[in-house]
Amino acid sequence: MILGVDIGTSVTKAALIGRDGRSVRSASRPSELLRGPGGVVEQDLDDVVASVVTVVRAVIDGTDEPIDAIALTGQGDGLWLRDEQGRPTRRAISWMDGRAADRVARWRADGVLDRVHALTGSGVFPGSHAALLAHLAEHEPEVLERSAVAGYCIDAVLQRLTGVITVDASDASLPFLDVRTRRYVDEALAACGVADWRRLLADPAEPHAVFALDATGAGLLGLPEGLPVTAGPYDVMTCGIGAGARRAGQGTVVVGTTLSCQALTTDATIDPATEPAGMWLCTPDPDLYLRTMPSMAGTAAIAHALSLVGAGTADLQGFLEESAPGASGVRALPFVSGAGERAPFVEPRATGQLLGMTLANGPADVVRAMCESVAYAARHCLEAAGLAGELSGCGGGLGTAAFAQLIADATGQALHVPHEPFVGARGAAAVAWAALGAPVDEDAWAADRQVIAPQDDLRDQYEAGYARYLADVREARQRWTA
């Protein structure tokens, strides 16, 4: 068995995963998001580590299942600063943080975003390493001075469990890595004004790297010292692997806090003429890359629309059944994050909107309009990512049957959704077994899925709706940049 641990933004989950891809025991614990003025969103590393300890101990308590390894995955981006012992030198800054939004807006106007994109294929956004390092270099340079590493969530937890300072290449990919060589691009650091802090970036681990619990980590988790540990890829990729996307052309839509839309490819050629958004990510296979468009317009936009009408997630299915496709003329844009949008375009000043309402519209129309806008955002991102084959889906947002159907209808793609709920941990387990030299039967894993086909009689309606959505986005972008 592999003990998969998925350290999400708001919830840490652990599950024992068998070689058949099924989980036999699981546990979860929420993590606290610390919000402040000016778009601040932070986390306490000690609290996150405590969440890992809690779920791991809950899963292993009372079981005699043999554990072959721990497989870590979790949230990416943000900035997790530590010293040589793995202690935080300040609170971790979340990928959701918006304090550097004005800086990114200036970089866009000054051409910095275009230069970085041309060098690495990455789109810089407020919650990325580039913007946050530049912000701290100006406002908290003493913190950077006393830090040994500027990393990410997964490698921060790994350091506490193994004592090793490293980073998975998937995390390191954005925004300074050339994914083809797996080396940092000095010109990209210089363009963002953070070349002086290159020492804080750990060199990426080799593909299929395996670490081991040290005495401290073993004591925390209640597991044997020396137990193998893998760390990465981060969650958008392990969700794709766990959902069944594993070959070039195949893609995944992960409907969670982030609406991550992505496609696998063997060609990481950067086209400077495209929007400076999204990211190229290294995968465990050195010859395969993940083109990712992680929109900020995930389930938070739907939850916000529900809250505006005094409802909750449990009401979503009913609202989608009550309001017909097209939401009786109501249209929406789902850009409600305080950090704006990061894919398939970068706009730190992006905001959500509702259009076309009259007194004839009710709460169900408002909620459906927001849901349709999220589905259209997914299609927009998948097209930018280069989806050319089968589409897998996962994430809590697909737990509502009517919304899962809406994703299939709006994208015009059959959606393959795993029956197994712990998709991120499942993907991390598959990576761990490969690293241990005993890869699983991925075709058998991929067969354990539900297929949701788009409804042919609604195709023309959703094509027209998508065209209106793109027009609304174009008009809004002109307004945001005016």
Side-chain angles (χ1 to χ4, degrees), residues 17 25 30 63-65 97-98 103 117-118 127 139 174 192 197 200 211-212 237 246 260 275 287-288 341 440 453:
I17 309 291
R25 292 174 65 91
T63 182
D64 56 2
E65 295 281 0
D97 194 274
R103 181 180 302 275
H117 178 256
H139 298 285
L174 177 81
C192 297
W197 304 106
L200 297 177
F211 309 95
M237 191 178 300
R246 59 206 184 282
S260 186
E275 288 263 10
D287 297 319
L288 194 63
E341 184 52 283
V440 300

Short mmCIF file of all heavy atoms in Angstrom, two decimals, residues 17 25 30 63-65 97-98 103 117-118 127 139 174 192 197 200 211-212 237 246 260 275 287-288 341 440 453:
data_model
loop_
_atom_site.label_atom_id
_atom_site.label_comp_id
_atom_site.label_asym_id
_atom_site.label_seq_id
_atom_site.Cartn_x
_atom_site.Cartn_y
_atom_site.Cartn_z
N ILE A 17 -3.70 3.71 -0.57
CA ILE A 17 -4.05 3.36 -1.94
C ILE A 17 -3.44 2.01 -2.29
O ILE A 17 -2.23 1.80 -2.13
CB ILE A 17 -3.54 4.42 -2.94
CG1 ILE A 17 -3.95 5.83 -2.50
CG2 ILE A 17 -4.03 4.11 -4.34
CD1 ILE A 17 -5.40 6.14 -2.59
N ARG A 25 -8.57 3.21 3.31
CA ARG A 25 -8.75 4.01 4.52
C ARG A 25 -8.39 5.45 4.19
O ARG A 25 -7.50 5.71 3.38
CB ARG A 25 -7.85 3.53 5.67
CG ARG A 25 -8.20 2.16 6.24
CD ARG A 25 -7.15 1.72 7.26
NE ARG A 25 -7.13 2.59 8.44
CZ ARG A 25 -7.86 2.38 9.53
NH1 ARG A 25 -8.68 1.34 9.59
NH2 ARG A 25 -7.77 3.19 10.57
N PRO A 30 -8.99 20.14 8.00
CA PRO A 30 -8.87 21.46 7.37
C PRO A 30 -7.61 22.19 7.81
O PRO A 30 -7.09 21.96 8.91
CB PRO A 30 -10.13 22.20 7.83
CG PRO A 30 -10.50 21.53 9.12
CD PRO A 30 -10.10 20.10 8.98
N THR A 63 -4.56 -0.10 11.78
CA THR A 63 -4.46 -0.91 10.57
C THR A 63 -3.15 -1.69 10.58
O THR A 63 -2.12 -1.22 11.09
CB THR A 63 -4.52 -0.04 9.30
OG1 THR A 63 -4.46 -0.89 8.16
CG2 THR A 63 -3.35 0.93 9.23
N ASP A 64 -3.20 -2.88 10.04
CA ASP A 64 -1.98 -3.67 9.90
C ASP A 64 -1.55 -3.78 8.44
O ASP A 64 -0.73 -4.63 8.08
CB ASP A 64 -2.17 -5.07 10.50
CG ASP A 64 -3.36 -5.82 9.90
OD1 ASP A 64 -4.00 -5.26 9.00
OD2 ASP A 64 -3.62 -6.96 10.34
N GLU A 65 -2.13 -2.92 7.58
CA GLU A 65 -1.74 -2.91 6.18
C GLU A 65 -0.27 -2.51 6.03
O GLU A 65 0.17 -1.52 6.62
CB GLU A 65 -2.60 -1.92 5.38
CG GLU A 65 -4.09 -2.27 5.30
CD GLU A 65 -4.34 -3.33 4.25
OE1 GLU A 65 -3.38 -3.78 3.60
OE2 GLU A 65 -5.52 -3.69 4.08
N ASP A 97 -2.78 34.74 -2.83
CA ASP A 97 -2.46 36.07 -2.31
C ASP A 97 -2.46 37.11 -3.43
O ASP A 97 -2.01 36.85 -4.55
CB ASP A 97 -1.09 36.03 -1.64
CG ASP A 97 -0.80 37.24 -0.80
OD1 ASP A 97 -0.33 38.25 -1.35
OD2 ASP A 97 -1.05 37.19 0.42
N GLY A 98 -2.95 38.31 -3.11
CA GLY A 98 -3.05 39.35 -4.13
C GLY A 98 -2.24 40.60 -3.84
O GLY A 98 -2.39 41.60 -4.54
N ARG A 103 2.07 45.25 -8.75
CA ARG A 103 3.39 45.00 -9.35
C ARG A 103 3.23 44.24 -10.67
O ARG A 103 3.87 44.57 -11.67
CB ARG A 103 4.26 44.20 -8.38
CG ARG A 103 5.68 43.92 -8.89
CD ARG A 103 6.47 43.12 -7.86
NE ARG A 103 6.54 43.84 -6.60
CZ ARG A 103 7.45 44.76 -6.30
NH1 ARG A 103 8.37 45.08 -7.21
NH2 ARG A 103 7.45 45.36 -5.13
N HIS A 117 7.68 35.24 -20.25
CA HIS A 117 6.97 34.23 -21.03
C HIS A 117 7.81 33.74 -22.20
O HIS A 117 7.85 32.53 -22.50
CB HIS A 117 5.64 34.80 -21.52
CG HIS A 117 4.85 33.85 -22.36
ND1 HIS A 117 4.77 33.97 -23.74
CD2 HIS A 117 4.10 32.77 -22.04
CE1 HIS A 117 4.02 33.01 -24.22
NE2 HIS A 117 3.59 32.27 -23.22
N ALA A 118 8.50 34.64 -22.86
CA ALA A 118 9.34 34.26 -23.99
C ALA A 118 10.50 33.38 -23.55
O ALA A 118 10.98 32.53 -24.32
CB ALA A 118 9.86 35.51 -24.70
N GLY A 127 0.30 35.60 -7.17
CA GLY A 127 0.65 34.58 -6.20
C GLY A 127 1.78 33.68 -6.61
O GLY A 127 1.98 32.61 -6.02
N HIS A 139 9.89 45.03 0.49
CA HIS A 139 9.21 45.35 1.74
C HIS A 139 9.71 44.55 2.95
O HIS A 139 9.56 45.02 4.08
CB HIS A 139 7.71 45.14 1.59
CG HIS A 139 7.08 46.02 0.56
ND1 HIS A 139 6.85 47.36 0.77
CD2 HIS A 139 6.64 45.75 -0.70
CE1 HIS A 139 6.29 47.89 -0.31
NE2 HIS A 139 6.15 46.92 -1.22
N LEU A 174 7.41 26.98 -12.60
CA LEU A 174 6.90 28.35 -12.71
C LEU A 174 7.58 29.24 -11.68
O LEU A 174 7.55 28.90 -10.49
CB LEU A 174 5.38 28.36 -12.47
CG LEU A 174 4.73 29.73 -12.49
CD1 LEU A 174 4.47 30.17 -13.92
CD2 LEU A 174 3.41 29.74 -11.73
N CYS A 192 12.70 40.00 -13.50
CA CYS A 192 11.79 40.27 -12.38
C CYS A 192 12.51 40.97 -11.21
O CYS A 192 11.88 41.21 -10.17
CB CYS A 192 11.17 38.96 -11.89
SG CYS A 192 10.15 38.14 -13.12
N TRP A 197 18.50 36.85 -5.37
CA TRP A 197 17.95 35.84 -4.47
C TRP A 197 17.93 34.46 -5.10
O TRP A 197 17.25 33.55 -4.62
CB TRP A 197 16.54 36.25 -4.02
CG TRP A 197 16.55 37.61 -3.37
CD1 TRP A 197 16.09 38.78 -3.89
CD2 TRP A 197 17.11 37.93 -2.10
NE1 TRP A 197 16.31 39.82 -3.02
CE2 TRP A 197 16.94 39.33 -1.91
CE3 TRP A 197 17.73 37.18 -1.09
CZ2 TRP A 197 17.37 39.98 -0.77
CZ3 TRP A 197 18.15 37.84 0.05
CH2 TRP A 197 17.98 39.22 0.21
N LEU A 200 18.17 31.17 -3.03
CA LEU A 200 17.04 30.62 -2.30
C LEU A 200 16.29 29.54 -3.08
O LEU A 200 15.43 28.85 -2.51
CB LEU A 200 16.05 31.74 -1.94
CG LEU A 200 16.57 32.83 -1.01
CD1 LEU A 200 15.50 33.91 -0.82
CD2 LEU A 200 16.98 32.25 0.33
N PHE A 211 13.07 9.73 -1.24
CA PHE A 211 13.70 10.19 -0.01
C PHE A 211 13.33 9.21 1.11
O PHE A 211 12.75 8.16 0.86
CB PHE A 211 13.25 11.62 0.30
CG PHE A 211 13.43 12.54 -0.87
CD1 PHE A 211 12.37 12.80 -1.75
CD2 PHE A 211 14.65 13.13 -1.14
CE1 PHE A 211 12.52 13.63 -2.85
CE2 PHE A 211 14.83 13.96 -2.24
CZ PHE A 211 13.76 14.22 -3.10
N ALA A 212 13.68 9.55 2.34
CA ALA A 212 13.39 8.63 3.45
C ALA A 212 13.07 9.42 4.71
O ALA A 212 13.67 10.48 4.97
CB ALA A 212 14.59 7.71 3.70
N MET A 237 -1.04 18.17 -11.33
CA MET A 237 -0.54 17.08 -12.15
C MET A 237 -0.93 15.72 -11.60
O MET A 237 -1.33 14.82 -12.34
CB MET A 237 0.98 17.16 -12.29
CG MET A 237 1.56 16.23 -13.34
SD MET A 237 3.33 16.40 -13.52
CE MET A 237 3.47 18.12 -14.01
N ARG A 246 -2.60 10.45 -19.15
CA ARG A 246 -1.22 9.99 -19.04
C ARG A 246 -0.49 10.00 -20.38
O ARG A 246 0.70 9.67 -20.43
CB ARG A 246 -1.18 8.60 -18.43
CG ARG A 246 -1.95 7.56 -19.23
CD ARG A 246 -2.43 6.41 -18.38
NE ARG A 246 -3.08 5.38 -19.18
CZ ARG A 246 -4.31 5.46 -19.65
NH1 ARG A 246 -5.04 6.55 -19.44
NH2 ARG A 246 -4.82 4.47 -20.35
N SER A 260 -8.18 24.15 -12.77
CA SER A 260 -6.97 23.85 -13.51
C SER A 260 -7.30 23.03 -14.74
O SER A 260 -7.85 21.94 -14.67
CB SER A 260 -5.98 23.07 -12.63
OG SER A 260 -4.75 22.90 -13.31
N GLU A 275 -0.68 34.50 -25.52
CA GLU A 275 -0.88 35.23 -24.27
C GLU A 275 0.18 34.80 -23.25
O GLU A 275 0.46 33.61 -23.10
CB GLU A 275 -2.25 34.91 -23.69
CG GLU A 275 -3.42 35.51 -24.44
CD GLU A 275 -3.90 36.81 -23.82
OE1 GLU A 275 -3.22 37.34 -22.91
OE2 GLU A 275 -4.96 37.28 -24.24
N ASP A 287 10.42 13.39 -21.07
CA ASP A 287 10.04 13.69 -22.45
C ASP A 287 8.57 14.12 -22.58
O ASP A 287 8.08 14.29 -23.69
CB ASP A 287 10.27 12.45 -23.32
CG ASP A 287 11.74 12.05 -23.39
OD1 ASP A 287 12.59 12.96 -23.49
OD2 ASP A 287 12.03 10.84 -23.31
N LEU A 288 7.89 14.29 -21.45
CA LEU A 288 6.48 14.67 -21.47
C LEU A 288 6.28 15.91 -20.60
O LEU A 288 6.87 16.01 -19.52
CB LEU A 288 5.63 13.52 -20.93
CG LEU A 288 4.12 13.56 -21.16
CD1 LEU A 288 3.80 13.53 -22.66
CD2 LEU A 288 3.44 12.39 -20.46
N GLU A 341 -7.15 37.35 -12.39
CA GLU A 341 -7.11 36.12 -13.17
C GLU A 341 -5.70 35.84 -13.66
O GLU A 341 -4.91 36.77 -13.87
CB GLU A 341 -8.08 36.23 -14.36
CG GLU A 341 -8.19 34.95 -15.19
CD GLU A 341 -8.50 33.73 -14.35
OE1 GLU A 341 -7.58 33.20 -13.68
OE2 GLU A 341 -9.66 33.27 -14.37
N VAL A 440 2.30 0.78 -11.74
CA VAL A 440 0.97 0.16 -11.75
C VAL A 440 0.47 0.03 -13.17
O VAL A 440 1.02 0.59 -14.11
CB VAL A 440 -0.03 1.00 -10.92
CG1 VAL A 440 0.44 1.11 -9.47
CG2 VAL A 440 -0.23 2.39 -11.53
N ALA A 453 -21.31 12.22 -21.31
CA ALA A 453 -21.29 12.71 -22.69
C ALA A 453 -22.04 14.03 -22.81
O ALA A 453 -23.05 14.25 -22.12
CB ALA A 453 -21.91 11.67 -23.62
#
